[in-house]
Amino acid sequence: QSALTQPASVSGSPGQSVTISCTGTSSDIGYYDFVSWYQQLPGKVPKLLTYDVTKRPSGVSSRFSGSKSGNTASLTISGLQAEDEGHYYCFSYTGTSAPWIFGGGTKLTVL
Amino acid sequence: EVQLLESGGGLVQPGGSLRLSCVTSDFAFRSHAMHWVRQAPGRGLEWVSFISESGSTTSYAASVKGRFTISRDNFKNSVFLQMSPLRAEDTAVYYCVRDLILGALDHWGQGALVTVAP
């Protein structure tokens, strides 16, 4: 199964909001609500931002929010800050014999 | 503080074998499923393998199925990844990851570098 589809890059200015999309199929994102998002800052280990589409772990800023419509999940980052610059990955359950899959990743640039 | 510490990485020739270990601490290990996730140099994240809390259920990415084996020891709070035969495309940093619930990967190790080259 191919990776979930994310835009290669997005950008925004400090204080603005950006949304990163993650497109799957009716067999993964469209069927299950087990979608999570991860932030990987340069040289760092990935960090969980949201899970079960909309839930946020304790300690994660409310500036990060997840949503889903049909076969597409989205991560919205509001009030962009310079320290948000890095890569973002979606992750979904697929229900197949290889049941988990990442998106290809999106590089966020804060202008 | 939850900790995951991988070991066993290194340089190996194509066709060779490696066994990664991940020792965990400061959480109820037997209550959490675990994953291995890898990242090739300059590339994105790739899910590799999953093991359920008891170890009775395992799954693998198509790219490693039949070559890698995941296992766990709930008495030693450890998870393992046996890899053989290795290919050049298996070169990556391998992360041991805790599953909070149904694919919420909430704690990651620092990673173990595996390099497959002649």
Side-chain angles (χ1 to χ4, degrees):
Chain A
Q1 181 170 357
S2 300
L4 304 172
T5 301
Q6 297 182 232
S9 63
V10 298
S11 63
S13 299
Q16 288 186 332
S17 294
V18 294
T19 296
I20 301 172
S21 62
C22 172
T23 301
T25 69
S26 57
S27 299
D28 41 60
I29 291 177
Y31 193 84
Y32 299 100
D33 285 337
F34 306 135
V35 180
S36 51
W37 285 91
Y38 301 84
Q39 175 194 61
Q40 189 174 31
L41 301 178
K44 301 296 186 180
V45 170
K47 174 187 176 182
L48 176 65
L49 295 177
T50 67
Y51 66 99
D52 289 357
V53 180
T54 61
K55 296 177 182 176
R56 219 174 15 249
S58 60
V60 172
S61 171
S62 59
R63 297 189 301 109
F64 298 94
S65 61
S67 61
K68 188 182 88 167
S69 177
N71 299 337
T72 298
S74 299
L75 175 72
T76 298
I77 308 171
S78 59
L80 266 181
Q81 300 176 0
E83 52 262 39
D84 296 331
E85 198 163 272
H87 286 82
Y88 292 79
Y89 297 90
C90 59
F91 184 62
S92 176
Y93 182 71
T94 71
T96 67
S97 59
W100 301 100
I101 191 167
F102 277 101
T106 298
K107 182 176 182 178
L108 169 64
T109 300
V110 181
L111 303 171
Chain B
E1 180 185 354
V2 171
Q3 294 194 11
L4 302 93
L5 183 62
E6 302 96 338
S7 62
L11 174 63
V12 62
Q13 293 186 339
S17 302
L18 275 179
R19 185 185 192 229
L20 301 182
S21 300
C22 172
V23 178
T24 73
S25 60
D26 289 327
F27 70 97
F29 179 74
R30 63 184 64 229
S31 297
H32 289 269
M34 299 293 293
H35 299 254
W36 286 96
V37 174
R38 69 184 181 184
Q39 188 168 33
R43 306 294 296 273
L45 301 173
E46 180 186 13
W47 174 79
V48 173
S49 186
F50 161 91
I51 188 165
S52 62
E53 295 88 328
S54 68
S56 60
T57 300
T58 60
S59 56
Y60 302 90
S63 57
V64 306
K65 192 170 186 178
R67 300 188 299 121
F68 290 11
T69 301
I70 191 171
S71 60
R72 65 189 293 160
D73 184 333
N74 283 350
F75 294 102
K76 296 183 177 179
N77 296 334
S78 298
V79 61
F80 309 96
L81 188 68
Q82 178 70 44
M83 304 182 293
S84 181
L86 283 159
R87 304 168 179 167
E89 54 265 35
D90 295 320
T91 294
V93 172
Y94 285 73
Y95 295 103
C96 167
V97 191
R98 188 181 87 162
D99 191 318
L100 173 65
I101 180 170
L102 293 170
L105 309 181
D106 70 333
H107 286 278
W108 298 62
Q110 288 301 306
L113 177 61
V114 172
T115 303
V116 184

